[in-house]
Amino acid sequence: MRLLNYIIRRLLLLIPVLLGVSIIVFTLTRITGNPAAAYINEKMSQSQIDQVFERYHFDEPIWTQFIYWLQGVIQGDWGWSRTASLPVTDAILKYFPATFELTILSIIIAVVIGILLGMSSAVRRNKPFDHVTRVVSLIGVSLPIFWLALILQFVFYYQLKWFPAGGRYDISFIISGVPRFTGFLLIDSLMVGNFNLFFNGIYHLILPAVTLSFGTIAIVTRIMRNSMLEVLNLDYIRTARAKGLSDRSVIWKHARKNAMIPTTTVIGLAFGGLLGGAVLTESIFYWPGLGRWSANSIRVLDSTSVIGFCLLVAFIYVIVNLAVDVMYAYLDPRVRLG
Amino acid sequence: MTALGLGGLSQELRPRIKELRNSLSLIRENITAMMGLIMVLSIVIIALLAPVIAPPGLGDPMVIPKDFGDPQPPGAPGHLLGTGKWGSDMLYGLVWGARTSITIAVFVVFTAMIVGIMLGALSGYYGGKVDDIIMRLTDVFLSLPALILAMAIASILERTLINLMLALIIVWWPPYARLIRAQVLSVKENTYVEAARAIGASRNRILFKHIVPNSLSPIIVSVTMDMGAVVLVAAGLSYIGFGVETGYAEWGRMVSDGQQFFLSTVYYLGEPINPWWVVVFPGTMILLFTMGFSLLGDSLRDILDPRLRR
């Protein structure tokens, strides 16, 4: 019950934050010169132009415009994406699945590897393994992600030919037909029982997902190492050792679980970095997702699309962090929600 | 009069100088801190010596001189580190790019820091409505990932280096405001603040003379780390096309200019070769720059925290 109250309170607090984000975003749309320009082309007659002005209220005071704009956003009218030749909301629906598959896989890779590395590093504190892990994770947070993407592409596609250069699946699948029910390639291919396509999809996912997860691995490793070191010094661990439990059981069963709690918070925050990284990673690996769409929009100065993307990201980011806070309370009973 | 004034000043500074000396000697003992410091200093020296290492031509020194040929490998005559797109000299770009990166890092981080300090201090000291407004504002800014907010801002601005830095400043101040506010909240409870209030010091004097200077230490670590981080984000923005034009001495731009050759072959003296250097060199510079500051900041965190000393 308390949890439910907390979630409701937090959701209500989202309103001012999202309102603030929309004010920023709206201001951005209106200082880009004439906002009507996106809807008007040279073939239109004066009466059509007048219609555009009337429909989008460009001739009214700025705050009235904001109300109308906000109304539009709430009702799902996010403007027209020139890059996708679709309404922004449709473009988001079209590109979202690809980005979702990519980011989820990256998070899984980052969490699994980061937690393992962090634990091993803490257990072998100040030994060579620890030093190497620390240097690698430092490189991880200092690497320009677009550069890492290019280097991995160079090594694993151009030189070794182990992985494809990019895309979601081999072009040959287009001829035999790519199913499109949910837009999630991995789900759709399983729905029609096309395992070749499923594995091809995973094969194409690996390189971009590894690229995207690299920075997050570094962050998770760091936090996991620190919190593991902290936990290993606690009394209950000494008790566990004293009653004769094996090292393995103490580390894996007793220490790991509690050390993972702070890591969850970081994952929420790292998610933001992941969404930013997706813009760069997707452009390099020809990944038909939100990031590539927004990067293309930037190139052609399609600010309606860029701003739609930002609004979406703000929303996702805020929700993810709320979910993380709730999870935190669930994992650590000492945390009082309030 | 002047001598007395200076005497008073040095009196005031003496414990700080002692503290600084102490910290410096701790840096000298710390291997990672020294590594970071060496990396950072090397880049600063390269930037300072840019006109000596790679003398500029007549035009804008930030535009890399080019001979409009295909990329040539390192060691080609007249090009120690080879050439990139349009035959632009790599060495020149890397060396002058150090100036660009340092400019971005210093300008963005210091401006953001000052804005953050001002707003954070006001928020923490005055509390109430001021606090509410400023903190809700930071909430809004922090609810967008930095790269994406900077993208949105940069997408509506003209593509210049100044605008790129402006976009970065807008996204960079909120964490500083948060940090300073938290510090001010705890520092203002000190007895010396009460003493200052008792002798009738004005609120602004108390805030900026007594509270703020004592709230700054955790910011040193953030500033150091951010110098690297900001260059990383700037390079990313510049890679997708914000900021500077093709051919400008900026490492992120150089990677993006070189990308078209990276997975291909060019001919040099009749031999087909892969121009790996066009992407590898500028990327390595970004990595070294960011890593230098991360190493330094990370070790400073330990050094400056008295509880972790010795």
Side-chain angles (χ1 to χ4, degrees):
Chain A
M1 202 55 225
R2 176 180 281 145
L3 189 67
L4 193 68
N5 272 335
Y6 174 74
I7 295 176
I8 292 171
R9 275 231 335 264
R10 280 286 304 262
L11 284 175
L12 287 176
L13 272 176
L14 280 186
I15 297 171
V17 168
L18 287 175
L19 197 67
V21 171
S22 27
I23 290 175
I24 296 178
V25 165
F26 175 77
T27 319
L28 290 177
T29 59
R30 294 303 131 118
I31 47 181
T32 24
N34 196 337
Y39 304 92
I40 295 171
N41 59 47
E42 62 271 28
K43 285 183 216 129
M44 284 176 154
S45 65
Q46 186 57 43
S47 69
Q48 279 173 313
I49 293 174
D50 289 343
Q51 266 175 11
V52 167
F53 266 78
E54 201 169 318
R55 178 158 171 227
Y56 293 98
H57 312 279
F58 291 132
D59 43 2
E60 287 179 51
I62 188 96
W63 57 271
T64 334
Q65 283 187 37
F66 176 68
I67 302 287
Y68 281 118
W69 178 83
L70 195 63
Q71 235 168 31
V73 166
I74 292 168
Q75 290 166 357
D77 176 12
W78 290 27
W80 181 261
S81 164
R82 276 191 287 131
T83 323
S85 299
L86 283 172
V88 170
T89 37
D90 291 358
I92 287 173
L93 286 177
K94 180 179 169 196
Y95 296 122
F96 179 75
T99 300
F100 186 79
E101 285 181 345
L102 178 62
T103 39
I104 289 296
L105 187 64
S106 307
I107 289 188
I108 294 173
I109 295 175
V111 169
V112 171
I113 296 185
I115 284 180
L116 287 178
L117 281 181
M119 276 174 65
S120 321
S121 197
V123 173
R124 298 175 181 75
R125 189 182 185 183
N126 290 333
K127 300 253 170 62
F129 182 85
D130 186 26
H131 292 306
V132 171
T133 312
R134 285 175 79 181
V135 171
V136 171
S137 73
L138 198 81
I139 294 176
V141 288
S142 312
L143 262 180
I145 189 165
F146 56 96
W147 188 65
L148 175 69
L150 288 169
I151 299 285
L152 289 180
Q153 210 177 32
F154 180 73
V155 174
F156 292 102
Y157 159 71
Y158 189 74
Q159 297 287 352
L160 298 172
K161 303 199 168 37
W162 287 0
F163 288 101
R168 264 177 113 186
Y169 40 78
D170 286 343
I171 303 169
S172 57
F173 282 100
I174 296 175
I175 303 160
S176 54
V178 175
R180 223 187 142 79
F181 307 113
T182 58
F184 295 94
L185 181 73
L186 299 183
I187 297 174
D188 290 350
S189 59
L190 285 183
M191 276 166 78
V192 296
N194 189 342
F195 292 102
N196 279 338
L197 181 60
F198 178 78
F199 288 114
N200 194 264
I202 290 190
Y203 178 53
H204 278 77
L205 253 174
I206 293 173
L207 221 46
V210 168
T211 308
L212 194 53
S213 62
F214 208 79
T216 317
I217 291 178
I219 299 170
V220 174
T221 305
R222 244 181 112 97
I223 300 291
M224 189 64 192
R225 178 181 177 275
N226 288 348
S227 71
M228 191 78 182
L229 283 176
E230 217 163 275
V231 168
L232 283 176
N233 274 329
L234 294 179
D235 288 342
Y236 83 97
I237 293 293
R238 204 181 317 148
T239 313
R241 284 192 206 277
K243 70 180 182 188
L245 290 181
S246 67
D247 243 16
R248 199 186 158 75
S249 153
V250 169
I251 290 163
W252 279 90
K253 286 222 173 107
H254 293 73
R256 184 194 50 127
K257 281 191 184 159
N258 281 328
M260 272 169 66
I261 295 171
T263 318
T264 46
T265 336
V266 188
I267 294 168
L269 292 174
F271 194 73
L274 223 54
L275 289 169
V279 175
L280 297 165
T281 312
E282 288 184 3
S283 333
I284 291 167
F285 289 106
Y286 313 105
W287 195 258
L290 293 169
R292 186 171 156 79
W293 166 60
S294 68
N296 287 340
S297 310
I298 288 162
R299 290 209 181 90
V300 299
L301 297 174
D302 176 6
S303 62
T304 320
S305 301
V306 178
I307 281 156
F309 175 68
C310 288
L311 212 54
L312 176 77
V313 167
F315 191 71
I316 295 177
Y317 191 48
V318 169
I319 295 285
V320 165
N321 278 300
L322 170 62
V324 165
D325 284 353
V326 171
M327 209 160 76
Y328 201 95
Y330 172 76
L331 290 174
D332 187 349
R334 286 169 303 177
V335 174
R336 290 260 173 277
L337 294 173
Chain B
M1 228 13 227
T2 334
L4 241 178
L6 278 176
L9 190 70
S10 75
Q11 201 73 40
E12 199 176 298
L13 282 177
R14 197 160 294 155
R16 304 203 184 221
I17 290 170
K18 199 179 157 201
E19 173 65 24
L20 188 69
R21 272 216 197 105
N22 190 10
S23 301
L24 283 179
S25 77
L26 283 170
I27 289 178
R28 229 174 290 136
E29 286 163 20
N30 189 317
I31 302 171
T32 44
M34 277 313 282
M35 269 168 60
L37 196 64
I38 290 170
M39 282 156 101
V40 169
L41 283 181
S42 320
I43 290 172
V44 170
I45 291 169
I46 289 173
L48 287 176
L49 293 181
V52 183
I53 306 172
L58 293 173
D60 181 357
M62 296 317 291
V63 176
I64 311 171
K66 45 191 178 286
D67 56 20
F68 299 100
D70 268 346
Q72 293 172 30
H79 302 290
L80 192 61
L81 295 178
T83 61
K85 190 179 184 179
W86 299 337
S88 54
D89 187 58
M90 291 306 284
L91 179 71
Y92 189 96
L94 297 182
V95 166
W96 287 83
R99 286 201 169 192
T100 314
S101 294
I102 292 173
T103 312
I104 295 175
V106 171
F107 190 73
V108 172
V109 173
F110 280 92
T111 318
M113 183 186 77
I114 290 166
V115 174
I117 289 176
M118 298 294 284
L119 291 176
L122 291 176
S123 183
Y125 188 62
Y126 289 102
K129 280 227 171 63
V130 182
D131 187 29
D132 276 346
I133 293 172
I134 295 177
M135 281 303 112
R136 290 301 80 77
L137 200 64
T138 60
D139 278 349
V140 169
F141 277 92
L142 290 173
S143 67
L144 274 167
L147 180 73
I148 288 170
L149 183 55
M151 245 172 67
I153 298 166
S155 77
I156 54 148
L157 298 172
E158 216 185 315
R159 280 148 201 218
T160 61
L161 192 61
I162 295 285
N163 284 343
L164 175 70
M165 292 195 279
L166 197 68
L168 288 170
I169 290 166
I170 297 176
V171 301
W172 226 270
W173 66 267
Y176 286 116
R178 280 274 176 90
L179 199 63
I180 285 291
R181 174 180 176 272
Q183 279 296 109
V184 167
L185 280 179
S186 84
V187 170
K188 79 172 181 186
E189 300 302 329
N190 280 325
T191 32
Y192 62 79
V193 174
E194 213 173 305
R197 200 178 300 131
I199 60 169
S202 73
R203 299 228 284 185
N204 282 335
R205 190 184 159 81
I206 293 175
L207 180 57
F208 289 105
K209 269 288 201 193
H210 298 279
I211 296 178
V212 169
N214 287 303
S215 310
L216 292 181
S217 55
I219 258 198
I220 297 173
V221 174
S222 301
V223 165
T224 317
M225 301 280 246
D226 281 353
M227 295 284 242
V230 93
V231 165
L232 203 59
V233 176
L237 285 172
S238 155
Y239 170 81
I240 42 176
F242 291 130
V244 295
E245 296 295 320
T246 295
Y248 194 90
E250 199 279 330
W251 299 329
R253 186 76 232 188
M254 286 172 74
V255 171
S256 119
D257 287 346
Q259 192 187 347
Q260 66 180 99
F261 301 102
F262 196 43
L263 301 182
S264 68
T265 32
V266 292
Y267 285 85
Y268 178 67
L269 304 177
E271 293 287 321
I273 41 168
N274 167 263
W276 51 270
W277 59 90
V278 292
V279 165
V280 172
F281 287 160
T284 312
M285 291 303 283
I286 305 174
L287 176 62
L288 291 178
F289 189 95
T290 312
M291 221 173 128
F293 279 107
S294 306
L295 277 170
L296 195 59
D298 203 39
S299 336
L300 277 181
R301 192 201 311 274
D302 298 345
I303 290 168
L304 295 176
D305 187 344
R307 280 168 305 174
L308 293 176
R309 272 183 200 167
R310 264 152 264 167

